[in-house]
Amino acid sequence: MRCPFCGNIDTQVKDSRPAEDHVSIRRRRFCPACGGRFTTYERVQLRDLVVIKTNGKREDFDRDKLERSIRISMQKRPIEPERIDQMISGIVRRLESMGETDIASKQIGEIVMEALARIDTVAYVRFASVYKNFQAADDFEDFVHELRPPVSPSEE
Ligand SMILES: [Zn+2]
C-alpha cells in the first residue's frame, strides 16, 4: 500500500482488526520512510482480489481467465458443464474466503490442480503439465494460450 504522504510503496501494517460492520478489515499502517500513519479498509470481494505473480507484479484477479483455463483443460472430457461451474465457483469461494485480497499466482494454481484432481485425472494432468511452464512464464495469458489445443483461429 502506497504511503499517501510521501508515495513510498513499502508501508507496514501495524494492526489489523475487523471493522464495526464485520465485512471489512481495518488496517493501521505505518510508513517507515516518512513516519506517516494512515488507515485502510479492506473488503474481501471477488473484484478486489489481486494476483501476485512470482516476479512480484500485481494483477487484478480475473475469473474469466481462470474459467477459460479450466474449461480448456476439461475440453472433450465427459464432465457435466454444471459440475465444472460448481468447481469454478468452489475455487473462487475458496480464494475469497482466504481472508487476504492478495493471492500468489502459485497458490491459485495449486488450488485449481487440487480441484481438478478430484474431478478428472486427464484434465488434471493437462493443467499440471502446462502449469509447470506457467510458473516459468508467469503470465496467465501465456498459460491460457498454451493450454488451448491448436484449433481453428476463429474460436476466440
Ligand atoms: Zn511516507
Side-chain angles (χ1 to χ4, degrees), residues 109-122:
E110 273 155 20
I111 288 173
V112 171
M113 285 195 285
E114 224 180 275
L116 283 174
R118 259 183 266 136
I119 289 191
D120 187 69
T121 315
V122 172

Side-chain angles (χ1 to χ4, degrees), residues 23-42:
V23 294
S24 58
I25 302 284
R26 182 175 184 272
R27 293 197 199 283
R28 287 167 55 206
R29 294 177 188 263
F30 169 75
C31 173
C34 72
R37 288 166 197 278
F38 58 104
T39 302
T40 56
Y41 288 88
E42 194 173 274

